[in-house]
């Protein structure tokens, strides 16, 4: 519970320090130090006002760091500005901080990485996995971004596209189950949709709602993954699905297609099918073609290969997969699934085992290991 609370308070505390005059890099370091102190102290003596406690400790950490290279008079002035004891103001700065992190002085990829680390609460490893790069590479990218914005005036917020990318990645990380950030990403995207009339903002909100509607059925009581085809569709959140579809239809009617609208359209087709066998895979392939045109992403092409395998048969799916590098994450899992559908159980079992060794999390590893064991058992009988 303390970890979830700390993550939820981090953006507001960071925003208060920035508004009080701390440059972003120093404020982010001070907040991280305060969080470490909270993890040490709170289990034995949790404060009555957690946010006020974090603001006070983070500000003191900032002052301690500033004293090392600031003149005596300035140090004394800053000490006098220390927040008074008592509840901190209930201001939600999170969405504003997302825009501030998307600063024009940063490349879009660096802005996204910095925001995910400083505001979204993701670890460097989680961000690196989302970007498909080594952890050391991402650590260097985040460090460079911090140096770039250190001392920069945050009077030129970044663009909507970068903020949408951050929200999308935060939602995906929360949806994976590693960090519970999905609901927070939806909340912020709702705020953004209310403030900005933009079809891609609406598309992202629709996509989040459609995916989140299935969240309760993605895992079994023992924590194991449940594939989409095996999920209990009666337990899907029909209200969220209806809202997501309605938002998507309004966005598509504006004829300004973007990648989030295309992804939401695919999710809507899955949600619309009464059973897995009634899924309109032909139309899903068409939407993946649109998405490929918009993004040219290898991950999109990988997912398209699965859809082609469902629409036109596993050998067509394998032919589409052959055009992709086998080093792509989850490539082996897709190949295993398509080979199994094509009747080649030996190859499928081997590929499931290979995919399990490369799995990014424990739940996925266990699922793929069980798939390999299931096929090996079938072959032995």
């Amino acid at each position: 519970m303390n970890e979830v609370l700390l993550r939820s308070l981090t953006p507001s505390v960071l925003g208060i320090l920035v508004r009080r005059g701390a440059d972003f890099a120093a404020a982010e370091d001070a907040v991280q130090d305060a969080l470490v102190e909270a993890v040490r102290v709170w289990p034995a003596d949790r404060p009555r006002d957690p946010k006020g406690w974090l603001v006070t400790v983070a500000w003191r950490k900032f002052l301690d760091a500033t004293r090392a290279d600031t003149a005596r008079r300035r140090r004394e002035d800053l000490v006098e500005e220390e927040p008074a004891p008592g509840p901190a103001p209930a201001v939600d700065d999170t969405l504003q901080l997302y825009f501030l992190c998307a600063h024009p002085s940063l490349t879009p990829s660096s802005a996204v990485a910095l925001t995910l680390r400083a505001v979204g609460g993701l670890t460097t490893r989680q961000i690196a996995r989302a970007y498909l790069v080594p952890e050391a590479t991402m650590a260097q990218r985040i460090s460079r971004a911090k140096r770039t914005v250190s001392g920069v005036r945050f009077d030129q917020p970044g663009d909507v596209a970068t903020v949408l990318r951050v929200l999308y990645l935060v939602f995906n990380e929360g949806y994976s189950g590693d960090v519970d950030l999905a609901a927070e990403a939806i909340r912020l995207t709702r705020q953004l949709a209310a403030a900005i009339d933009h079809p891609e903002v609406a598309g992202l909100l629709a996509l989040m709602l459609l995916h989140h509607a299935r969240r309760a059925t993605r895992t079994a009581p023992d924590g194991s993954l449940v594939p989409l085809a095996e999920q209990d569709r009666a337990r899907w959140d029909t209200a969220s699905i209806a809202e997501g579809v309605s938002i998507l239809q309004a966005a598509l009617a504006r004829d300004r297609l973007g990648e989030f609208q295309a992804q939401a359209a695919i999710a809507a087709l899955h949600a619309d099918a009464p059973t897995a066998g009634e899924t309109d895979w032909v139309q899903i392939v068409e939407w993946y073609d649109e998405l490929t045109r918009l993004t040219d992403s290898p991950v999109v092409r990988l997912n398209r290969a699965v859809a082609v395998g469902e629409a036109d048969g596993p050998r067509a799916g394998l032919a589409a997969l052959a055009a992709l590098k086998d080093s792509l994450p989850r490539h082996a899992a897709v190949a295993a699934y398509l080979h199994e559908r094509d009747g080649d159980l030996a190859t499928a079992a081997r590929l499931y085992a290979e995919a399990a060794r490369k799995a990014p999390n424990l739940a996925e590893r266990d699922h793929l290991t069980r798939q390999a064991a299931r096929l090996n058992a079938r072959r032995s009988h």
Side-chain angles (χ1 to χ4, degrees):
M1 176 58 73
N2 279 347
E3 180 181 352
V4 174
L5 177 61
L6 288 171
R7 290 185 185 282
S8 68
L9 293 175
T10 296
S12 294
V13 175
L14 182 57
I16 290 171
L17 265 64
V18 170
R19 289 202 310 275
R20 294 191 66 83
D23 70 74
F24 187 88
E28 198 266 342
D29 288 340
V31 172
Q32 293 298 324
D33 289 342
L35 294 177
V36 171
E37 186 73 6
V39 170
R40 185 182 70 83
V41 172
W42 285 14
D45 185 20
R46 180 167 165 173
R48 288 192 298 272
D49 177 21
K51 182 177 177 181
W53 188 97
L54 283 173
V55 169
T56 300
V57 172
W59 187 253
R60 286 173 178 162
K61 296 288 186 183
F62 167 70
L63 294 181
D64 288 344
T66 303
R67 288 188 181 100
D69 39 39
T70 303
R72 179 180 178 81
R73 174 177 293 183
R74 180 56 183 155
R75 293 201 306 268
E76 292 174 350
D77 289 342
L78 288 173
V79 170
E80 292 174 1
E81 296 172 9
E82 183 176 328
V91 178
D92 185 356
D93 299 293
T94 309
L95 193 56
Q96 180 188 7
L97 286 171
Y98 273 59
F99 274 95
L100 292 179
C101 285
H103 196 272
S105 62
L106 296 173
T107 64
S109 60
S110 294
V112 171
L114 177 62
T115 314
L116 290 171
R117 181 69 186 91
V119 189
L122 274 62
T123 65
T124 302
R125 177 174 297 179
Q126 290 167 331
I127 302 168
R129 191 172 67 226
Y131 269 89
L132 310 180
V133 299
E135 184 177 353
T137 300
M138 183 52 64
Q140 292 175 354
R141 184 178 301 176
I142 294 172
S143 295
R144 285 196 299 269
K146 285 184 178 181
R147 289 195 298 271
T148 299
V149 300
S150 180
V152 170
R153 287 185 59 84
F154 285 95
D155 54 2
Q156 293 180 282
D159 65 353
V160 174
T162 301
V163 174
L164 289 179
R165 177 63 51 191
V166 176
L167 289 168
Y168 175 66
L169 291 174
V170 169
F171 176 82
N172 279 348
E173 194 59 51
Y175 193 69
S176 75
D178 293 337
V179 182
D180 189 10
L181 295 171
E184 173 68 358
I186 292 174
R187 183 184 71 83
L188 293 173
T189 307
R190 283 192 188 278
Q191 284 188 10
L192 189 58
I196 299 177
D197 183 19
H198 193 299
E200 272 294 82
V201 176
L204 178 58
L205 179 56
L207 175 63
M208 289 179 174
L209 290 169
L210 289 164
H211 278 311
H212 206 61
R214 305 198 301 260
R215 186 173 187 180
T217 65
R218 293 182 70 248
T219 55
D222 63 359
S224 59
L225 292 181
V226 179
L228 176 61
E230 300 173 18
Q231 290 174 14
D232 181 0
R233 298 180 181 227
R235 294 177 57 210
W236 286 358
D237 183 347
T238 55
S240 292
I241 292 173
E243 183 185 5
V245 169
S246 176
I247 292 171
L248 173 62
Q249 288 174 338
L252 291 175
R254 300 177 64 177
D255 199 24
R256 290 169 54 194
L257 184 64
E259 63 174 295
F260 293 122
Q261 294 169 73
Q263 288 190 57
I266 293 169
L269 286 167
H270 283 298
D272 186 56
T275 66
E278 296 174 86
T279 303
D280 189 345
W281 286 106
V282 172
Q283 195 173 166
I284 287 176
V285 171
E286 293 174 355
W287 276 111
Y288 270 122
D289 289 340
E290 290 285 353
L291 194 53
T292 300
R293 179 181 61 80
L294 290 165
T295 67
D296 195 29
S297 163
V299 175
V300 170
R301 293 181 181 275
L302 184 69
N303 291 332
R304 179 185 178 277
V306 176
V308 169
E310 298 289 353
D312 301 327
R315 294 195 179 183
L318 287 168
L321 188 65
L324 301 173
K325 294 181 179 180
D326 59 11
S327 59
L328 191 64
R330 297 188 172 90
H331 184 285
V334 170
Y337 174 74
L338 292 171
H339 277 292
E340 179 184 357
R341 290 205 53 223
D342 194 40
D344 187 351
L345 302 189
T347 299
R350 176 178 58 79
L351 287 169
Y352 275 130
E354 177 186 333
R357 291 192 294 271
K358 300 177 180 178
N361 57 65
L362 182 61
E364 191 169 331
R365 187 195 70 187
D366 290 347
H367 171 73
L368 292 167
T369 299
R370 284 193 295 271
Q371 296 295 89
R374 174 179 57 81
L375 294 188
N376 285 327
R378 283 179 57 186
R379 292 172 57 221
S380 66
H381 286 83

